[in-house]
Amino acid sequence: MKRRKLIIDTDPGVDDAFAIITALSSSQFEVKGITTVAGNKSLEYVTVNAMKLIRLMRADCKVYPGSIASLKDLESATGELKDAGNTHGSDGLGDVDLSFDEATRSDTHAVDFIIDTVRQNPGKVEILAIGPVTNIALAIRKEPEVMKTVKTIWSMGGGVHRGNMTPVSEFNYWFDPEAVEVMYGIGTDVDIYMFGLDVTYNTFFTMNDLFFLRQEGGEIGRIMYDMTLAYAGSYWSNRRITGAVIHDLVPIIYAIDPGISKPEDVYRSALTVCCEPGLTQGQTIVDLVDRFNFTKNAYVVMNADSRRFKELFIEIVFGDVVDLYRKFVRS
Ligand code: BDR
Ligand code: CA
């Protein structure tokens, strides 16, 4: 089988780790490289975390460090460097003890790696965008015509009816709204799928699900369970949810099997993002039902079959133990 070419643009991140592990386990994808961006933690932390995941999975690809801050913060000399605090543990990966191989860090900048890979494979490269989209925006600004030949961008961010940074804004899009605007600017040429908080909250992992990974997932399952504990702790403290929303896993599972969502849950829509500082920074404004006749530049995925989503993840990463999950685990 000819494998699909994938770049993972990411800020790992516990939920990023689930997505990366899944992409590296799937026979559908050839992961061309992992590009990193400041977001959940500073660029150095997330780059090291990506290298740790490559080593854990014994993957044959490199990490390409990218942007240290959002477009706006990169432009202002005094820009503060934001991150997600300790939501993902103090190192961004749940403080689990993992080693990495320095040789997997490339000297090539993420933006150049993205452009070169797309240029060499026009119409063929898919990008899994699970952090702030700063690298993607910089690549579009530098080489717009090349970037218009990206096949698909699978983007975790935004939300139609929900927020997690403010009541209406999600973290990735809040972090760099100007970059989001640039990205959806090529949404008439490239298929860009938005997986916002509406769909991700409908697929959350219960403690039963996480416990199953620990019991039946071997070494990788135990590590995933351990790295998720602090992250799950923040869901309990902030929202009284027992479990965790593994946001970044949703786009990669959908990319593998779009059948997890019903066709009527995927909207071809016009999408804009609010860039002004304040409560609405990063808010996505989506004309779901085409009421206002704006130019459509996004596919917005609003729901997914949670059970099928989790079964697929377990099957891809852990294989046959999915039968045990199907039979015995009630989410
Ligand atoms: C997004 O923000 C990050 O903290 C997660 O990794 C995810 O990409 C969810 O809002
Ligand atoms: Ca992320």
Side-chain angles (χ1 to χ4, degrees):
M1 180 175 65
K2 207 148 195 270
R3 291 191 298 158
R4 297 157 64 184
K5 299 179 197 316
L6 184 73
I7 295 173
I8 307 177
D9 190 57
T10 176
D11 61 337
V14 172
D15 57 335
D16 300 75
F18 276 61
I20 293 167
I21 288 170
T22 303
L24 291 172
S25 303
S26 164
S27 55
Q28 282 197 25
F29 290 107
E30 174 198 355
V31 177
K32 303 291 287 180
I34 299 180
T35 53
T36 52
V37 61
N40 282 323
K41 282 282 171 186
S42 69
L43 185 69
E44 181 56 20
Y45 270 117
V46 299
T47 299
V48 168
N49 290 345
M51 292 194 287
K52 287 177 174 173
L53 293 166
I54 283 184
R55 172 140 187 184
L56 176 69
M57 299 304 292
R58 299 187 179 88
D60 181 22
C61 66
K62 288 203 168 190
V63 177
Y64 300 81
S67 313
I68 58 163
S70 66
L71 293 183
K72 210 170 173 180
D73 291 343
L74 283 174
E75 279 156 17
S76 84
T78 55
E80 34 132 15
L81 295 181
K82 311 186 281 273
D83 67 19
N86 284 343
T87 307
H88 297 253
S90 67
D91 69 347
L93 215 50
D95 299 298
V96 292
D97 186 19
L98 292 173
S99 53
F100 64 96
D101 183 355
E102 190 55 44
T104 57
R105 186 198 304 254
S106 172
D107 293 336
T108 305
H109 191 280
V111 171
D112 296 322
F113 173 75
I114 293 171
I115 291 170
D116 291 347
T117 309
V118 175
R119 201 198 309 270
Q120 285 158 21
N121 304 278
K124 297 225 165 70
V125 176
E126 300 173 54
I127 301 178
L128 179 69
I130 51 178
V133 292
T134 320
N135 292 332
I136 294 168
L138 287 169
I140 294 169
R141 280 190 177 167
K142 200 165 169 184
E143 289 290 351
E145 295 311 315
V146 173
M147 290 302 287
K148 282 180 190 169
T149 71
V150 167
K151 184 166 189 237
T152 313
I153 299 176
W154 310 102
S155 166
M156 191 281 130
V160 178
H161 304 301
R162 276 178 178 272
N164 59 7
M165 285 309 289
T166 81
V168 294
S169 309
E170 178 280 333
F171 178 79
N172 288 339
Y173 284 12
W174 167 89
F175 191 96
D176 196 347
E178 282 81 8
V180 176
E181 193 167 49
V182 173
M183 181 175 79
Y184 283 101
I186 62 165
T188 49
D189 298 284
V190 175
D191 289 344
I192 307 179
Y193 282 76
M194 177 185 115
F195 299 83
L197 299 177
D198 313 278
V199 59
T200 64
Y201 265 86
N202 288 346
T203 60
F204 86 96
F205 277 62
T206 64
M207 291 312 288
N208 284 358
D209 297 325
L210 296 171
F211 181 73
F212 178 80
L213 304 187
R214 182 177 183 281
Q215 292 304 113
E216 298 296 336
E219 189 203 356
I220 292 183
R222 273 193 304 280
I223 290 169
M224 290 172 99
Y225 174 85
D226 288 346
M227 79 170 58
T228 309
L229 286 181
Y231 182 66
S234 72
Y235 276 97
W236 175 250
S237 316
N238 297 333
R239 296 188 180 244
R240 296 295 181 231
I241 290 174
T242 52
V245 186
I246 311 293
H247 305 277
D248 293 339
L249 186 57
V250 181
I252 186 65
I253 295 289
Y254 181 94
I256 290 168
D257 182 3
I260 62 164
S261 297
K262 294 183 186 148
E264 59 267 33
D265 289 326
V266 184
Y267 296 79
R268 179 65 174 151
S269 308
L271 186 153
T272 29
V273 61
C274 227
C275 292
E276 289 72 39
L279 273 180
T280 58
Q281 174 177 324
Q283 179 181 10
T284 43
I285 299 156
V286 179
D287 183 20
L288 271 190
V289 293
D290 197 18
R291 164 78 176 74
F292 299 98
N293 216 8
F294 299 143
T295 305
K296 298 183 185 67
N297 57 350
Y299 292 88
V300 179
V301 181
M302 291 295 286
N303 202 1
D305 179 333
S306 169
R307 187 70 188 183
R308 190 162 162 192
F309 159 77
K310 286 185 269 190
E311 286 176 5
L312 252 173
F313 155 69
I314 291 168
E315 193 174 352
I316 293 163
V317 179
F318 305 108
D320 288 349
V321 298
V322 71
D323 294 335
L324 283 174
Y325 179 80
R326 283 201 183 100
K327 197 160 174 194
F328 295 111
V329 181
R330 296 288 147 262
S331 292

